[in-house]
Amino acid sequence: MQFKKNKMKTSMPQQKPEERIKNFDEVNLGYDEKSAIKEASRCLQCKKPVCIDGCPVKINIPKFIKQIKDKKFNDAIKTIKEQNFLPKVCGRVCPQETQCEEKCILAKKKQAVAIGYLERFAGDNEKSFDIPKIKKISKKIAVVGSGPSSLTCAAKLALMGHNVKLFEALHKTGGVLRYGIPEFRLPKKIVDDEINYIKKLGVEIEINAVIGRTISLDELSNEYDAIFIGTGAGLPYFMHIPGENLNGVYSANEFLTRINLMKANEFPKTKTPIKKAKKTIVVGGGNVAIDAARTARRLGSDVTVVYRRSFDEMPGRIEEIEHAREEGINFLMLTNPTKILGEKIVTGIECQQMMLGEMDSSGRRTPLPIEDSEFSLECDQVIIAIGQGINPLLARNSELRTGMRGSIDVNEKYQTSNPKIFAGGDVIGQEATVIKAMADGKNAASAIDAFLRGELKDDGSNRAE
Ligand SMILES: Cc1cc2nc3c(=O)[nH]c(=O)nc-3n(C[C@H](O)[C@H](O)[C@H](O)COP(=O)(O)OP(=O)(O)OC[C@H]3O[C@@H](n4cnc5c(N)ncnc54)[C@H](O)[C@@H]3O)c2cc1C
Ligand code: SF4
């Protein structure tokens, strides 16, 4: 099939906004074969494929795109899986626009190749997969947590022939992929498919195992030759303003977990209740805020996102912010809450207007309060989504050295202050993205393998300040 070179991305069909706000089904519906081939045909197959530089796990992007163009769909997914064990997840949630697609040479002229959409297509069209013959090694590794960093680390170690057991505190695996990112962006069936593949590689999984509580890190350390910690950043931050303890105030974490993990949206068919709010204010501007806002909208609420900077500084994915706007979510920029109003139950929120000052250390302009600009908004639910910190349980119950905000300190080989314990993903305080967590897991797996072979040079840097 020949297509005229098109400067614009092939669009992906979507559920209409007025329909999708009434359900939790996926918004983006995926390419069909014809659209995928058309989009793949836009790739220039550059001699120096700069797109690969933008991919934290270094997928051979032009190779898999050419395989799609040539209708070799199963080869395309094999190419991706050489570097990425969660392609269906990444094809849906990776911020490609600031990674591979940002680097794509076509982005300079018109629109980058839709690398993420093509990755998703390849993942969704996988017809069969072969489990490679793995030569077993007698080393035992414990992996703590089951988010993208741990799943990737476990998969890579299993492929290297190690015996890997993964311990998850919750009753379900997947970490944020399961309890944070909503079904309408990442269906749980997709998470199950990816985890089943990792189980088929031989990774054993124990759920309801809280390391640092049900099993201590020392116990694990005695039984296993090495440990990887990928426990994420699940501790929600609050604003510490008056009224935050009123009924009707949630952390985004609690709100999303109730829906995603405990199906509160199906209450009373399920046991977990959720408030059916009329007016919701969501505080924050990242993916978590946008996910909470869109979830509240689907529960029938009118929703306003309140963010202290401007649209330009919002860290949420552009596509998801666009989807939220299409779904009728209001955005109130340059606004910061100062007080939550009500007696026992939330009735409103007091805010102050902000302006932007100089650049701060994050490279974004600092929000500054405007004097005497306070105003109030009515609402019966407030969801706080201003960031998460490290869950302190494991670090507090171990001797591991910690750094900023309780993150676990590692050296460039992901080795903690205990040489047989490695860590990666959000728990080491990295940029919080799925693909970054996966890159950590993958690199840590190589370092663990080298450590077990006695090839990891201990230069003491893991213990240096
Ligand atoms: C709502 C939301 C939306 C997001 N959207 C995006 C997005 O669109 N794109 C993107 O790239 N990133 C997104 N992120 C960020 C991304 O999900 C995280 O950066 C990523 O999941 C971090 O992976 P991880 O493996 O480090 O940890 P997590 O995914 O947090 O997984 C950690 C796991 O460890 C378990 N655990 C914790 N303590 C223990 C213990 N003591 N013992 C055993 N198990 C333990 C937890 O229960 C959890 O299952 C989003 C995050 C949230 C919260
Ligand atoms: S940079 Fe863009 S056009 Fe070039 S190989 Fe990568 S995806 Fe294709």
Side-chain angles (χ1 to χ4, degrees):
M1 211 177 318
Q2 275 298 322
F3 288 100
K4 227 169 78 192
K5 283 273 179 236
N6 194 339
K7 288 184 180 155
M8 304 303 275
K9 252 182 200 173
T10 312
S11 59
M12 182 176 279
Q14 292 170 359
Q15 269 201 79
K16 289 200 178 75
E18 58 278 15
E19 279 164 20
R20 68 192 194 227
I21 56 166
K22 293 187 224 139
N23 65 55
F24 279 80
D25 299 341
E26 211 173 359
V27 169
N28 282 340
L29 301 173
Y31 279 155
D32 58 12
E33 269 187 37
K34 195 172 156 204
S35 311
I37 296 168
K38 180 177 170 198
E39 184 58 19
S41 306
R42 293 181 64 226
C43 175
L44 304 174
Q45 294 293 314
C46 306
K47 282 223 167 65
K48 275 194 191 152
V50 277
C51 49
I52 301 179
D53 299 338
C55 172
V57 295
K58 305 282 174 258
I59 295 172
N60 190 336
I61 293 168
K63 182 173 171 195
F64 96 76
I65 291 182
K66 172 133 191 347
Q67 287 165 329
I68 291 180
K69 186 181 162 201
D70 296 342
K71 284 193 173 181
K72 294 179 179 160
F73 303 137
N74 232 38
D75 289 349
I77 188 60
K78 274 190 195 151
T79 301
I80 297 172
K81 278 193 167 170
E82 282 165 16
Q83 306 300 341
N84 182 341
F85 302 108
L86 308 172
K88 293 195 226 185
V89 167
C90 290
R92 285 170 168 83
V93 305
C94 264
Q96 288 98 4
E97 64 278 7
T98 57
Q99 298 180 338
C100 52
E101 292 182 15
E102 187 180 58
K103 298 261 169 161
C104 171
I105 209 84
L106 288 181
K108 293 194 176 57
K109 299 212 168 94
K110 271 284 177 197
Q111 286 191 327
V113 175
I115 301 170
Y117 287 178
L118 289 172
E119 182 180 20
R120 170 186 165 145
F121 172 82
D124 290 355
N125 281 276
E126 184 173 33
K127 295 282 177 276
S128 62
F129 54 77
D130 313 321
I131 300 297
K133 275 222 163 352
I134 301 169
K135 197 166 159 251
K136 277 279 175 203
I137 305 170
S138 59
K139 298 291 183 187
K140 284 172 70 184
I141 300 141
V143 172
V144 186
S146 66
S149 62
S150 296
L151 289 171
T152 304
C153 185
K156 179 147 188 194
L157 285 166
L159 275 172
M160 287 166 163
H162 296 290
N163 297 295
V164 187
K165 183 156 177 187
L166 188 144
F167 296 88
E168 167 56 50
L170 296 173
H171 63 288
K172 291 260 185 188
T173 46
V176 171
L177 308 179
R178 172 90 53 190
Y179 73 74
I181 303 181
E183 188 92 16
F184 53 83
R185 283 214 290 135
L186 181 62
K188 303 307 158 213
K189 153 100 182 51
I190 296 292
V191 181
D192 289 339
D193 285 356
E194 307 272 51
I195 294 173
N196 281 339
Y197 170 73
I198 289 166
K199 278 194 204 158
K200 289 206 169 110
L201 295 179
V203 174
E204 208 187 318
I205 296 182
E206 185 172 330
I207 52 168
N208 298 316
V210 187
I211 306 305
R213 186 62 47 90
T214 37
I215 309 171
S216 74
L217 203 54
D218 283 346
E219 282 171 297
L220 273 196
S221 196
N222 290 336
E223 199 182 326
Y224 289 86
D225 299 301
I227 298 173
F228 174 79
I229 298 177
T231 46
L235 185 74
Y237 289 147
F238 282 93
M239 303 190 70
H240 305 293
I241 55 173
E244 248 178 340
N245 56 349
L246 291 171
N247 274 340
V249 181
Y250 291 90
S251 69
N253 218 316
E254 179 187 343
F255 180 74
L256 289 169
T257 303
R258 278 175 184 249
I259 307 284
N260 294 331
L261 192 67
M262 298 155 115
K263 297 264 165 252
N265 52 318
E266 290 173 19
F267 182 78
K269 259 198 331 202
T270 54
K271 288 194 177 133
T272 310
I274 195 90
K275 187 180 164 79
K276 288 269 186 235
K278 289 198 177 65
K279 272 186 190 261
T280 301
I281 302 280
V282 178
V283 184
N287 285 318
V288 186
I290 306 300
D291 281 347
R294 295 175 72 198
T295 299
R297 185 85 183 105
R298 281 160 174 74
L299 293 174
S301 185
D302 174 75
V303 184
T304 301
V305 173
V306 168
Y307 181 54
R308 62 190 186 141
R309 294 180 156 111
S310 74
F311 273 113
D312 288 345
E313 285 85 21
M314 268 183 109
R317 292 191 61 202
I318 297 160
E319 182 176 25
E320 305 307 340
I321 296 170
E322 258 329 295
H323 283 173
R325 293 173 88 161
E326 289 166 8
E327 289 164 12
I329 288 162
N330 312 304
F331 285 85
L332 205 54
M333 298 288 110
L334 291 167
T335 303
N336 200 31
T338 46
K339 200 188 280 179
I340 299 173
L341 309 168
E343 278 176 38
K344 285 196 180 152
I345 298 175
V346 174
T347 55
I349 187 162
E350 188 186 271
C351 300
Q352 189 171 29
Q353 285 174 354
M354 311 291 279
M355 58 184 178
L356 292 177
E358 297 297 314
M359 293 280 185
D360 66 12
S361 56
S362 72
R364 294 177 303 170
R365 292 177 63 192
T366 316
L368 301 168
I370 300 177
E371 245 178 79
D372 300 327
S373 63
E374 284 82 2
F375 64 97
S376 54
L377 297 167
E378 267 182 33
C379 65
D380 56 349
Q381 177 167 260
V382 176
I383 302 172
I384 314 275
I386 56 162
Q388 281 114 240
I390 311 304
N391 186 329
L393 178 79
L394 201 146
R396 201 186 281 156
N397 290 303
S398 71
E399 311 255 280
L400 299 180
R401 201 186 55 218
T402 52
M404 285 267 288
R405 295 178 170 176
S407 59
I408 295 180
D409 269 0
V410 291
N411 65 13
E412 77 284 1
K413 296 287 181 202
Y414 299 88
Q415 201 170 24
T416 68
S417 52
N418 178 336
K420 74 186 275 189
I421 304 182
F422 295 71
D426 287 4
V427 75
I428 62 168
Q430 296 283 15
E431 178 198 334
T433 62
V434 169
I435 195 72
K436 186 68 189 54
M438 289 174 63
D440 285 355
K442 203 171 140 187
N443 295 334
S446 303
I448 291 171
D449 182 61
F451 169 75
L452 294 173
R453 291 173 192 279
E455 290 163 9
L456 186 70
K457 231 178 88 207
D458 181 6
D459 57 5
S461 62
N462 59 324
R463 286 178 283 281
E465 277 312 314

